[in-house]
Amino acid sequence: MTEKFVLAIDQGTTSSRAIVFNHSGQIVGVGQQEFEQIFPNPGWVEHNPIEIWDSVRTVVADALVAAGINKDDLISVGITNQRETAVVWDKNTGEPVYNAIVWQDTRTAPIVRELAGDEGVEKYKDRVGLPLATYFSGTKIKWILDNVEGARARAEAGDLLFGTTDSWVLWNLTGGTEGGVHKTDVTNASRTLLMNLKTLEWEPDICADFGIPMSMLPQICSSSEVYGHGREHGLLTGIPISGILGDQQAATFGQACFEIGMAKNTYGTGCFMLMNTGEEVVFSQNGLLTTLCYKIGDQKAVYALEGSIAVAGSLIQWLRDNLKIIGSAPEVEDMALTVEDNGGVYFVPAFSGLFAPYWRDDARGAIVGMTRYNTQGHLARAALEATAFQTREVLDAMDADAGVALKELRVDGGMIANNTLMQFQADVLGVDVVAPVVAETTALGAAYAAGIAVGFWEGEADVIANWQEAKRWTPNMDEKEVQRTYRLWKKAVTKSMAWVDEDVK
Ligand code: ADP
């Protein structure tokens, strides 16, 4: 028998990637393409869905070429995606009615206030696991229906479809206007504010509160089953599409966090820590989200607690693109190493408000503690430390919710290439930080979900067997110094809050 492969499509926030994996979970070919980040107003972030779909087509072709295979060598395809980013399109023409509104976008703050009313932002939490916040896709769908001329009438007539980018890619891959399937998986659906965590179905009365016709919503499926096949004469003709996981859940899967209490943190554009809580729904008392971790076919759903941090690697991009004090992301480490410590500077990157554990959309970025002594080195260091401190706050919340302290943290994502950051992370967490050999855990997780559905892999045991440790950082900072600097970080956070008044633009 000739060797077979699984293709993972990773439709991320800043780029689309496609990666071909072999049966050992090793990478044999990669395609990657960035796409435009559109910032029409302060706090607004959009993507062009057509550009996203074009980028997916390009990277799939590139990955197959890089692997030296053709589509018939693929046994199945998995999709993983930036979560919460909302696309609304016309099912008759395939045309989006508006740009995709990206997860970081804060324009829906007034919608959040209106929906929360007197009951507050936690009014749906016992059903959906989430507070009302700009982050989640439901508020973004409502914005499009409220603000794009004619959209509501077209939605009510049954002409419009909503999807996160997994659904958008799946619909296009499987035929688009010619029979494309309109489905999503439980992990993506759990980020809309519209799905009941226990029944795994859309909640009609929450949809009604939002004014979202249920005919727009994709069918909710497991994370590992055959949703459809590549369309005839299309990109991946006849190949089953059989795995979907939101990017953070995919990374959790790819990191083999299958036991209760195992956790991973992904350091990309933002930072996302997920802890497996098994088949029980655990509600957070400490500002974390309750979310679906994964569901394999007919098996029971597995849940997770999540701490989401909006700005991590994107702060390094901001130093590069807006301040222009570095030419590339890795240079931030060289700049940070020109100084011994942060020189008293703390940088709270609340560009999209503060996510976990605070959930404050009235916060904005703050650089505090500056004196005449400070240099760009201190700023670079403070920017890196911001990621580590935010992660510490999330870990504290996880420990409190779980009732036991985490023993070690599995890490992945672009920022883990930064050794200075990872050592500081271990220092401020006080636990070992561990990176796997295959750092592309997000794509890997989607590939596993797709491969398990078609019997290419047996199940979680194969994922565990393939996982290998590449690097470990061990805490090495004086405990008193950790306490001192963490206390100052927390003080800095208070300075970023309550910045947005009615007249702040
Ligand atoms: P995403 O999947 O969210 O697009 P990635 O996992 O590809 O993100 O990580 C890219 C992010 O990591 C970028 O925001 C970039 O600024 C940051 N990054 C990449 N290399 C480094 C580095 N050496 N030091 C710090 N940040 C880095």
Side-chain angles (χ1 to χ4, degrees), residues 13-14 17 267-270 313-314 316-317 329-330 332 384 413-415 417-418:
T13 304
T14 54
R17 261 190 288 238
Y267 299 77
T269 307
S314 58
I316 309 308
Q317 289 172 341
V332 73
L384 289 176
M415 289 184 99
N418 192 312

Side-chain angles (χ1 to χ4, degrees), residues 10-17 32 34 37 82 103-104 247-248 266-272 312-318 320 326 328-333 384 387 412-419 421 439-440 442:
D10 177 1
Q11 201 303 292
T13 304
T14 54
S15 71
S16 297
R17 261 190 288 238
Q32 176 165 11
E34 290 200 9
Q37 305 292 310
Q82 53 168 327
W103 56 272
Q104 300 137 314
D247 54 11
Q248 301 310 323
T266 300
Y267 299 77
T269 307
C271 219
F272 300 87
S314 58
L315 182 57
I316 309 308
Q317 289 172 341
W318 183 82
R320 184 193 66 190
I326 48 173
S328 68
E331 284 174 34
V332 73
E333 186 164 12
L384 289 176
T387 290
D412 49 60
M415 289 184 99
I416 73 164
N418 192 312
N419 195 54
L421 169 61
E440 295 286 354
T442 303

Side-chain angles (χ1 to χ4, degrees), residues 438-452:
V438 179
E440 295 286 354
T441 54
T442 303
L444 184 61
Y448 280 134
I452 288 171

Side-chain angles (χ1 to χ4, degrees), residues 80 83 185-188 190-191 245-254 264 274 291-294 304 306 445:
T80 178
R83 305 172 303 171
D185 90 306
V186 289
T187 66
N188 278 291
S190 77
R191 318 295 293 187
L245 285 161
D247 54 11
Q248 301 310 323
Q249 283 85 347
T252 311
F253 206 89
K264 70 87 206 179
L274 269 77
T291 200
L292 262 294
C293 195
Y294 59 89
E306 171 175 328

Side-chain angles (χ1 to χ4, degrees), residues 331-340 377 380-381 384 418 420:
E331 284 174 34
V332 73
E333 186 164 12
D334 304 331
M335 190 175 278
L337 288 171
T338 60
V339 291
E340 285 196 346
R381 198 170 269 268
L384 289 176
N418 192 312
T420 305

